Amino acid sequence: MRLLTHNMLSSNIKGVTNGFPLRIEAEKVVEKTVEMNPDFLKKMFDKIQWKAFVDGSRAMGFTELPEEVDSSVLESDEFLSRFHHALLELHLEEGALVCPETGRRFPVNKGIPNMLLHEDEV
Amino acid sequence: MLLNVDQSNPELESISSLQITTKVNNNKMASKKIRTAQIRLMSSHQEVYEPCDDSFALVDALLADCSNLLKHCPALCMEIGCGSGYVITSLALMLGQEGLGVNYIATDINPHAVSVTRETLNAHGVDAELIITDIASGLEKRLAGLVDVIVVNPPYVPTPEDEVGADGITASWAGGENGRCVIDRILPVADHLLSEKGWLYMVTLTANNPSEICLQMREKGYASRIVIQRSTEEESLHIIKFWRDSDIEVFKNEKVMTEKSVPARLMDYVLTQFPLFSFWRSSDSDNKLIQRNPVHTDLDAKDLLRIQFHPVSHSLQSVRYENFDLWGTLGIMSFCYKCS
């Protein structure tokens, strides 16, 4: 699971009002190099909730993202390459996503988060 | 101004053949240059639906529309219910990966299916983000309005309600009453997730009442067209493409105007425009708008050509063609052309 996906996921448990962001518990993180596309990064930059993204990247061991950003950072190639790396090249292979409100853990195995709910959570 | 036109005009009869020719050409083009998932590279599991006629029809529809998809430049593509991964893998092979700015997300309620999809993607050297979830649960809040292409081969087989969403492979086909149980849950989610330019491709069965699905989507502002219709021994499949269309609102609100004859010269002009028309299906909720051709033969009675002119400048505004029988079980077939 990439941080791009993490940034799009919320806790879906019934009654939870503030299910975003899910806290990452990382047991195993892998890196897979992919080609960079600046246009995609610029498009996604506006859609990313930055704090959740920075916290997520730290939980996965990557600490080179700035705490605060505005759109001027997109001019910097150095920023783009870090953003690209954190967004698309880091994968949470084993671990969990934790609901910020209830503490319920959604397991991530072989890179795949399991968001299925128990009957009493739907 | 509104008029009905005699359907015996040969120009009109040539429309469907012309459209088919285009599709065949697209397919040929696609098969030369564009790869789809290969069966020999597919992973499998006893609890996972294997690629079948419906999967092939959906991928063929994507292939037939491939040049449009490439021009569409989607950033995020999604499959709801990825099963063996045949469709999302084919889409990723067709449209390319991160370097081209395209990313993929696929979901399935069956954990085995998601694992099989991972293996199928790997075997083809492509990647997608996979999530085990019910439709798009957990994604609806943050992914709203961001997805440019959604593909769905839903569980569409009419079954008892209690089989819907059951464990294992049953969830891949059990569709409840009229096979619509899951489809009717997916449609509002797709509407919510699709971006302004978003497209939805969905497999339906005749028993699902696709024309009603199109009407429902029309109320949400979507135009639709059948990309592929295919009958197998067991079922008749339609792959329908939906897209947001601001013109839908125009037609909803339009009033019937008086019918007048139009000079032949103008009619000729209108008919020469036919190759430009795109097919799309729809039906009017307001019966007043559906004017059947009054000419006597059976065929003529099923067709309507409605042409609208600007009330002041008399310039051509829109042409609309409806055929009540062309798609047989589907009811009304129509296309519309709006002049800028």
Side-chain angles (χ1 to χ4, degrees), chain A residues 34-44 80 83-84 87-88, chain B residues 97-103:
Chain A
V34 291
E35 210 181 315
M36 184 164 107
N37 183 303
D39 289 338
F40 179 80
L41 296 175
K42 286 168 188 168
K43 208 183 293 181
M44 291 315 296
L80 281 183
F83 182 37
H84 168 75
L87 190 73
L88 300 174
Chain B
Q97 294 262 283
E98 294 84 1
L100 295 168
V102 199
N103 276 264

mmCIF file of all heavy atoms in Angstrom, chain A residues 34-44 80 83-84 87-88, chain B residues 97-103:
data_model
loop_
_atom_site.group_PDB
_atom_site.id
_atom_site.type_symbol
_atom_site.label_atom_id
_atom_site.label_comp_id
_atom_site.label_asym_id
_atom_site.label_seq_id
_atom_site.Cartn_x
_atom_site.Cartn_y
_atom_site.Cartn_z
ATOM 1 N N VAL A 34 9.688 3.593 -9.402
ATOM 2 C CA VAL A 34 8.845 3.783 -10.595
ATOM 3 C C VAL A 34 9.201 5.126 -11.232
ATOM 4 O O VAL A 34 9.739 6.023 -10.580
ATOM 5 C CB VAL A 34 7.323 3.744 -10.274
ATOM 6 C CG1 VAL A 34 6.891 2.345 -9.882
ATOM 7 C CG2 VAL A 34 6.927 4.761 -9.212
ATOM 8 N N GLU A 35 8.885 5.209 -12.514
ATOM 9 C CA GLU A 35 9.198 6.405 -13.279
ATOM 10 C C GLU A 35 8.397 7.600 -12.748
ATOM 11 O O GLU A 35 7.241 7.449 -12.371
ATOM 12 C CB GLU A 35 8.813 6.142 -14.742
ATOM 13 C CG GLU A 35 9.639 6.868 -15.763
ATOM 14 C CD GLU A 35 9.140 6.534 -17.161
ATOM 15 O OE1 GLU A 35 8.889 5.338 -17.437
ATOM 16 O OE2 GLU A 35 8.992 7.470 -17.954
ATOM 17 N N MET A 36 9.026 8.754 -12.729
ATOM 18 C CA MET A 36 8.356 9.943 -12.208
ATOM 19 C C MET A 36 7.596 10.675 -13.310
ATOM 20 O O MET A 36 8.061 10.782 -14.439
ATOM 21 C CB MET A 36 9.404 10.884 -11.593
ATOM 22 C CG MET A 36 8.800 12.088 -10.943
ATOM 23 S SD MET A 36 9.982 12.912 -9.843
ATOM 24 C CE MET A 36 10.368 14.351 -10.802
ATOM 25 N N ASN A 37 6.410 11.150 -12.958
ATOM 26 C CA ASN A 37 5.631 11.971 -13.885
ATOM 27 C C ASN A 37 5.232 13.265 -13.169
ATOM 28 O O ASN A 37 4.311 13.275 -12.364
ATOM 29 C CB ASN A 37 4.387 11.203 -14.353
ATOM 30 C CG ASN A 37 3.579 11.981 -15.374
ATOM 31 O OD1 ASN A 37 3.158 13.102 -15.115
ATOM 32 N ND2 ASN A 37 3.370 11.404 -16.542
ATOM 33 N N PRO A 38 5.960 14.357 -13.452
ATOM 34 C CA PRO A 38 5.706 15.623 -12.740
ATOM 35 C C PRO A 38 4.253 16.099 -12.857
ATOM 36 O O PRO A 38 3.702 16.647 -11.896
ATOM 37 C CB PRO A 38 6.659 16.607 -13.411
ATOM 38 C CG PRO A 38 7.740 15.758 -13.998
ATOM 39 C CD PRO A 38 7.078 14.482 -14.397
ATOM 40 N N ASP A 39 3.623 15.882 -14.010
ATOM 41 C CA ASP A 39 2.236 16.337 -14.171
ATOM 42 C C ASP A 39 1.310 15.633 -13.196
ATOM 43 O O ASP A 39 0.417 16.245 -12.611
ATOM 44 C CB ASP A 39 1.751 16.078 -15.615
ATOM 45 C CG ASP A 39 2.429 17.004 -16.607
ATOM 46 O OD1 ASP A 39 2.909 18.069 -16.158
ATOM 47 O OD2 ASP A 39 2.491 16.656 -17.791
ATOM 48 N N PHE A 40 1.528 14.337 -13.033
ATOM 49 C CA PHE A 40 0.703 13.584 -12.081
ATOM 50 C C PHE A 40 0.917 14.121 -10.665
ATOM 51 O O PHE A 40 -0.034 14.329 -9.916
ATOM 52 C CB PHE A 40 1.041 12.095 -12.147
ATOM 53 C CG PHE A 40 0.245 11.256 -11.187
ATOM 54 C CD1 PHE A 40 -1.059 10.869 -11.483
ATOM 55 C CD2 PHE A 40 0.781 10.879 -9.961
ATOM 56 C CE1 PHE A 40 -1.792 10.118 -10.591
ATOM 57 C CE2 PHE A 40 0.040 10.130 -9.058
ATOM 58 C CZ PHE A 40 -1.249 9.748 -9.370
ATOM 59 N N LEU A 41 2.174 14.365 -10.319
ATOM 60 C CA LEU A 41 2.488 14.868 -8.973
ATOM 61 C C LEU A 41 1.827 16.215 -8.734
ATOM 62 O O LEU A 41 1.256 16.462 -7.671
ATOM 63 C CB LEU A 41 4.008 14.986 -8.798
ATOM 64 C CG LEU A 41 4.787 13.673 -8.850
ATOM 65 C CD1 LEU A 41 6.278 13.951 -8.790
ATOM 66 C CD2 LEU A 41 4.368 12.751 -7.701
ATOM 67 N N LYS A 42 1.885 17.077 -9.739
ATOM 68 C CA LYS A 42 1.279 18.402 -9.595
ATOM 69 C C LYS A 42 -0.236 18.291 -9.462
ATOM 70 O O LYS A 42 -0.862 19.021 -8.697
ATOM 71 C CB LYS A 42 1.666 19.289 -10.781
ATOM 72 C CG LYS A 42 3.125 19.758 -10.681
ATOM 73 C CD LYS A 42 3.629 20.402 -11.966
ATOM 74 C CE LYS A 42 5.136 20.656 -11.831
ATOM 75 N NZ LYS A 42 5.758 21.015 -13.091
ATOM 76 N N LYS A 43 -0.798 17.355 -10.200
ATOM 77 C CA LYS A 43 -2.251 17.147 -10.131
ATOM 78 C C LYS A 43 -2.655 16.637 -8.744
ATOM 79 O O LYS A 43 -3.638 17.070 -8.159
ATOM 80 C CB LYS A 43 -2.650 16.127 -11.214
ATOM 81 C CG LYS A 43 -4.066 16.295 -11.733
ATOM 82 C CD LYS A 43 -4.446 15.231 -12.747
ATOM 83 C CE LYS A 43 -3.697 15.300 -14.053
ATOM 84 N NZ LYS A 43 -4.129 14.245 -15.016
ATOM 85 N N MET A 44 -1.850 15.710 -8.210
ATOM 86 C CA MET A 44 -2.210 15.098 -6.929
ATOM 87 C C MET A 44 -1.883 15.989 -5.731
ATOM 88 O O MET A 44 -2.456 15.822 -4.664
ATOM 89 C CB MET A 44 -1.501 13.739 -6.755
ATOM 90 C CG MET A 44 -1.985 12.627 -7.681
ATOM 91 S SD MET A 44 -3.787 12.491 -7.817
ATOM 92 C CE MET A 44 -4.238 12.041 -6.146
ATOM 93 N N LEU A 80 9.988 17.666 -5.808
ATOM 94 C CA LEU A 80 9.193 16.738 -6.617
ATOM 95 C C LEU A 80 9.703 15.307 -6.486
ATOM 96 O O LEU A 80 8.914 14.357 -6.390
ATOM 97 C CB LEU A 80 9.197 17.153 -8.091
ATOM 98 C CG LEU A 80 8.265 18.305 -8.481
ATOM 99 C CD1 LEU A 80 8.329 18.535 -9.983
ATOM 100 C CD2 LEU A 80 6.820 18.035 -8.068
ATOM 101 N N PHE A 83 8.689 14.029 -3.070
ATOM 102 C CA PHE A 83 7.235 13.829 -3.078
ATOM 103 C C PHE A 83 6.890 12.545 -3.840
ATOM 104 O O PHE A 83 6.120 11.693 -3.371
ATOM 105 C CB PHE A 83 6.584 15.064 -3.729
ATOM 106 C CG PHE A 83 5.082 15.042 -3.785
ATOM 107 C CD1 PHE A 83 4.315 14.514 -2.744
ATOM 108 C CD2 PHE A 83 4.404 15.590 -4.878
ATOM 109 C CE1 PHE A 83 2.918 14.516 -2.807
ATOM 110 C CE2 PHE A 83 3.017 15.593 -4.945
ATOM 111 C CZ PHE A 83 2.278 15.054 -3.910
ATOM 112 N N HIS A 84 7.511 12.393 -5.004
ATOM 113 C CA HIS A 84 7.312 11.196 -5.824
ATOM 114 C C HIS A 84 7.688 9.927 -5.051
ATOM 115 O O HIS A 84 6.924 8.957 -5.015
ATOM 116 C CB HIS A 84 8.166 11.310 -7.090
ATOM 117 C CG HIS A 84 8.275 10.038 -7.886
ATOM 118 N ND1 HIS A 84 7.241 9.567 -8.656
ATOM 119 C CD2 HIS A 84 9.296 9.139 -8.010
ATOM 120 C CE1 HIS A 84 7.625 8.430 -9.230
ATOM 121 N NE2 HIS A 84 8.858 8.149 -8.856
ATOM 122 N N LEU A 87 5.163 9.335 -2.195
ATOM 123 C CA LEU A 87 3.791 9.075 -2.664
ATOM 124 C C LEU A 87 3.657 7.725 -3.361
ATOM 125 O O LEU A 87 2.677 7.004 -3.162
ATOM 126 C CB LEU A 87 3.365 10.196 -3.626
ATOM 127 C CG LEU A 87 1.901 10.244 -4.045
ATOM 128 C CD1 LEU A 87 1.032 10.721 -2.889
ATOM 129 C CD2 LEU A 87 1.704 11.170 -5.246
ATOM 130 N N LEU A 88 4.665 7.377 -4.180
ATOM 131 C CA LEU A 88 4.490 6.235 -5.088
ATOM 132 C C LEU A 88 5.520 5.112 -4.949
ATOM 133 O O LEU A 88 5.313 4.024 -5.476
ATOM 134 C CB LEU A 88 4.506 6.727 -6.550
ATOM 135 C CG LEU A 88 3.408 7.738 -6.927
ATOM 136 C CD1 LEU A 88 3.626 8.237 -8.346
ATOM 137 C CD2 LEU A 88 2.018 7.130 -6.796
ATOM 138 N N GLN B 97 1.593 3.088 -17.134
ATOM 139 C CA GLN B 97 1.723 3.159 -15.684
ATOM 140 C C GLN B 97 2.176 4.543 -15.211
ATOM 141 O O GLN B 97 1.950 5.526 -15.910
ATOM 142 C CB GLN B 97 2.690 2.067 -15.239
ATOM 143 C CG GLN B 97 2.126 0.665 -15.502
ATOM 144 C CD GLN B 97 1.508 0.068 -14.251
ATOM 145 O OE1 GLN B 97 2.193 -0.389 -13.366
ATOM 146 N NE2 GLN B 97 0.198 0.104 -14.182
ATOM 147 N N GLU B 98 2.851 4.568 -14.057
ATOM 148 C CA GLU B 98 3.199 5.831 -13.384
ATOM 149 C C GLU B 98 3.911 6.823 -14.302
ATOM 150 O O GLU B 98 3.641 8.019 -14.247
ATOM 151 C CB GLU B 98 4.097 5.563 -12.169
ATOM 152 C CG GLU B 98 3.431 4.800 -11.039
ATOM 153 C CD GLU B 98 3.471 3.298 -11.254
ATOM 154 O OE1 GLU B 98 4.037 2.844 -12.263
ATOM 155 O OE2 GLU B 98 2.937 2.583 -10.404
ATOM 156 N N GLY B 99 4.822 6.309 -15.118
ATOM 157 C CA GLY B 99 5.589 7.196 -15.984
ATOM 158 C C GLY B 99 4.704 8.024 -16.896
ATOM 159 O O GLY B 99 5.029 9.145 -17.279
ATOM 160 N N LEU B 100 3.555 7.463 -17.246
ATOM 161 C CA LEU B 100 2.600 8.177 -18.086
ATOM 162 C C LEU B 100 1.566 8.919 -17.232
ATOM 163 O O LEU B 100 0.614 9.485 -17.751
ATOM 164 C CB LEU B 100 1.899 7.200 -19.038
ATOM 165 C CG LEU B 100 2.810 6.529 -20.063
ATOM 166 C CD1 LEU B 100 2.103 5.384 -20.760
ATOM 167 C CD2 LEU B 100 3.288 7.553 -21.089
ATOM 168 N N GLY B 101 1.771 8.874 -15.926
ATOM 169 C CA GLY B 101 0.867 9.623 -15.048
ATOM 170 C C GLY B 101 -0.446 8.920 -14.764
ATOM 171 O O GLY B 101 -1.439 9.566 -14.443
ATOM 172 N N VAL B 102 -0.483 7.587 -14.910
ATOM 173 C CA VAL B 102 -1.713 6.846 -14.639
ATOM 174 C C VAL B 102 -1.511 5.937 -13.423
ATOM 175 O O VAL B 102 -0.496 5.238 -13.336
ATOM 176 C CB VAL B 102 -2.142 5.953 -15.830
ATOM 177 C CG1 VAL B 102 -3.615 5.593 -15.706
ATOM 178 C CG2 VAL B 102 -1.866 6.626 -17.148
ATOM 179 N N ASN B 103 -2.444 5.973 -12.500
ATOM 180 C CA ASN B 103 -2.395 5.080 -11.343
ATOM 181 C C ASN B 103 -3.707 4.320 -11.202
ATOM 182 O O ASN B 103 -4.756 4.805 -11.618
ATOM 183 C CB ASN B 103 -2.093 5.874 -10.073
ATOM 184 C CG ASN B 103 -0.601 6.082 -9.907
ATOM 185 O OD1 ASN B 103 0.083 5.362 -9.212
ATOM 186 N ND2 ASN B 103 -0.077 7.096 -10.615
#
